[in-house]
PDB file of all heavy atoms in Angstrom:
ATOM      1  N   SER A 240      11.400  45.313 -21.046  1.00 97.00           N
ATOM      2  CA  SER A 240      12.138  46.026 -22.106  1.00 97.00           C
ATOM      3  C   SER A 240      13.617  45.669 -22.010  1.00 97.00           C
ATOM      4  O   SER A 240      14.110  45.257 -20.958  1.00 97.00           O
ATOM      5  CB  SER A 240      11.951  47.543 -21.915  1.00 97.00           C
ATOM      6  OG  SER A 240      12.288  47.888 -20.578  1.00 97.00           O
ATOM      7  N   ASN A 241      14.288  45.841 -23.149  1.00 97.00           N
ATOM      8  CA  ASN A 241      15.744  45.635 -23.254  1.00 97.00           C
ATOM      9  C   ASN A 241      16.200  44.278 -22.722  1.00 97.00           C
ATOM     10  O   ASN A 241      17.206  44.172 -22.013  1.00 97.00           O
ATOM     11  CB  ASN A 241      16.506  46.735 -22.456  1.00 97.00           C
ATOM     12  CG  ASN A 241      16.034  48.112 -22.870  1.00 97.00           C
ATOM     13  OD1 ASN A 241      15.829  48.346 -24.072  1.00 97.00           O
ATOM     14  ND2 ASN A 241      15.786  48.998 -21.905  1.00 97.00           N
ATOM     15  N   GLY A 242      15.419  43.278 -22.999  1.00 97.00           N
ATOM     16  CA  GLY A 242      15.886  41.957 -22.530  1.00 97.00           C
ATOM     17  C   GLY A 242      14.982  40.854 -23.041  1.00 97.00           C
ATOM     18  O   GLY A 242      14.040  41.093 -23.816  1.00 97.00           O
ATOM     19  N   GLU A 243      15.269  39.636 -22.580  1.00 97.00           N
ATOM     20  CA  GLU A 243      14.464  38.485 -23.036  1.00 97.00           C
ATOM     21  C   GLU A 243      14.274  37.501 -21.880  1.00 97.00           C
ATOM     22  O   GLU A 243      14.808  37.694 -20.782  1.00 97.00           O
ATOM     23  CB  GLU A 243      15.168  37.800 -24.208  1.00 97.00           C
ATOM     24  CG  GLU A 243      16.617  37.386 -23.888  1.00 97.00           C
ATOM     25  CD  GLU A 243      17.387  36.984 -25.144  1.00 97.00           C
ATOM     26  OE1 GLU A 243      16.918  37.288 -26.266  1.00 97.00           O
ATOM     27  OE2 GLU A 243      18.443  36.342 -25.002  1.00 97.00           O
ATOM     28  N   GLY A 244      13.538  36.468 -22.161  1.00 98.00           N
ATOM     29  CA  GLY A 244      13.274  35.436 -21.130  1.00 98.00           C
ATOM     30  C   GLY A 244      12.060  35.813 -20.293  1.00 98.00           C
ATOM     31  O   GLY A 244      11.156  36.504 -20.767  1.00 98.00           O
ATOM     32  N   GLY A 245      12.056  35.388 -19.075  1.00 98.00           N
ATOM     33  CA  GLY A 245      10.928  35.676 -18.168  1.00 98.00           C
ATOM     34  C   GLY A 245       9.659  34.973 -18.624  1.00 98.00           C
ATOM     35  O   GLY A 245       8.546  35.462 -18.415  1.00 98.00           O
ATOM     36  N   GLU A 246       9.831  33.820 -19.308  1.00 98.00           N
ATOM     37  CA  GLU A 246       8.645  33.078 -19.761  1.00 98.00           C
ATOM     38  C   GLU A 246       8.000  32.350 -18.583  1.00 98.00           C
ATOM     39  O   GLU A 246       8.651  31.981 -17.609  1.00 98.00           O
ATOM     40  CB  GLU A 246       9.038  32.081 -20.861  1.00 98.00           C
ATOM     41  CG  GLU A 246       9.622  32.759 -22.088  1.00 98.00           C
ATOM     42  CD  GLU A 246       9.131  32.123 -23.388  1.00 98.00           C
ATOM     43  OE1 GLU A 246       8.732  30.956 -23.370  1.00 98.00           O
ATOM     44  OE2 GLU A 246       9.146  32.823 -24.425  1.00 98.00           O
ATOM     45  N   THR A 247       6.703  32.117 -18.714  1.00 98.00           N
ATOM     46  CA  THR A 247       5.925  31.467 -17.644  1.00 98.00           C
ATOM     47  C   THR A 247       5.665  30.015 -18.011  1.00 98.00           C
ATOM     48  O   THR A 247       5.368  29.716 -19.180  1.00 98.00           O
ATOM     49  CB  THR A 247       4.575  32.200 -17.484  1.00 98.00           C
ATOM     50  OG1 THR A 247       4.855  33.551 -17.086  1.00 98.00           O
ATOM     51  CG2 THR A 247       3.686  31.532 -16.438  1.00 98.00           C
ATOM     52  N   ARG A 248       5.796  29.128 -17.033  1.00 98.00           N
ATOM     53  CA  ARG A 248       5.406  27.729 -17.226  1.00 98.00           C
ATOM     54  C   ARG A 248       4.287  27.415 -16.232  1.00 98.00           C
ATOM     55  O   ARG A 248       4.349  27.874 -15.085  1.00 98.00           O
ATOM     56  CB  ARG A 248       6.575  26.784 -16.900  1.00 98.00           C
ATOM     57  CG  ARG A 248       7.602  26.662 -17.972  1.00 98.00           C
ATOM     58  CD  ARG A 248       8.659  25.631 -17.588  1.00 98.00           C
ATOM     59  NE  ARG A 248       9.723  25.590 -18.589  1.00 98.00           N
ATOM     60  CZ  ARG A 248      10.785  24.803 -18.479  1.00 98.00           C
ATOM     61  NH1 ARG A 248      10.927  24.035 -17.386  1.00 98.00           N
ATOM     62  NH2 ARG A 248      11.703  24.790 -19.416  1.00 98.00           N
ATOM     63  N   ILE A 249       3.306  26.637 -16.671  1.00 98.00           N
ATOM     64  CA  ILE A 249       2.288  26.143 -15.725  1.00 98.00           C
ATOM     65  C   ILE A 249       2.063  24.647 -15.968  1.00 98.00           C
ATOM     66  O   ILE A 249       2.222  24.154 -17.086  1.00 98.00           O
ATOM     67  CB  ILE A 249       0.957  26.919 -15.848  1.00 98.00           C
ATOM     68  CG1 ILE A 249       0.366  26.849 -17.260  1.00 98.00           C
ATOM     69  CG2 ILE A 249       1.096  28.345 -15.341  1.00 98.00           C
ATOM     70  CD1 ILE A 249      -1.054  27.471 -17.354  1.00 98.00           C
ATOM     71  N   VAL A 250       1.720  23.950 -14.902  1.00 98.00           N
ATOM     72  CA  VAL A 250       1.445  22.514 -14.999  1.00 98.00           C
ATOM     73  C   VAL A 250       0.254  22.194 -14.110  1.00 98.00           C
ATOM     74  O   VAL A 250       0.049  22.837 -13.065  1.00 98.00           O
ATOM     75  CB  VAL A 250       2.687  21.682 -14.574  1.00 98.00           C
ATOM     76  CG1 VAL A 250       3.004  21.840 -13.094  1.00 98.00           C
ATOM     77  CG2 VAL A 250       2.492  20.208 -14.924  1.00 98.00           C
ATOM     78  N   ASP A 251      -0.560  21.237 -14.565  1.00 98.00           N
ATOM     79  CA  ASP A 251      -1.807  20.892 -13.849  1.00 98.00           C
ATOM     80  C   ASP A 251      -1.549  19.704 -12.920  1.00 98.00           C
ATOM     81  O   ASP A 251      -1.356  18.566 -13.380  1.00 98.00           O
ATOM     82  CB  ASP A 251      -2.895  20.534 -14.869  1.00 98.00           C
ATOM     83  CG  ASP A 251      -4.234  20.238 -14.191  1.00 98.00           C
ATOM     84  OD1 ASP A 251      -4.312  20.359 -12.939  1.00 98.00           O
ATOM     85  OD2 ASP A 251      -5.192  19.895 -14.898  1.00 98.00           O
TER      86      ASP A 251
END
Side-chain angles (χ1 to χ4, degrees):
S240 52
N241 308 319
E243 55 192 15
E246 299 220 336
T247 298
R248 281 184 185 178
I249 58 173
V250 67
D251 183 2

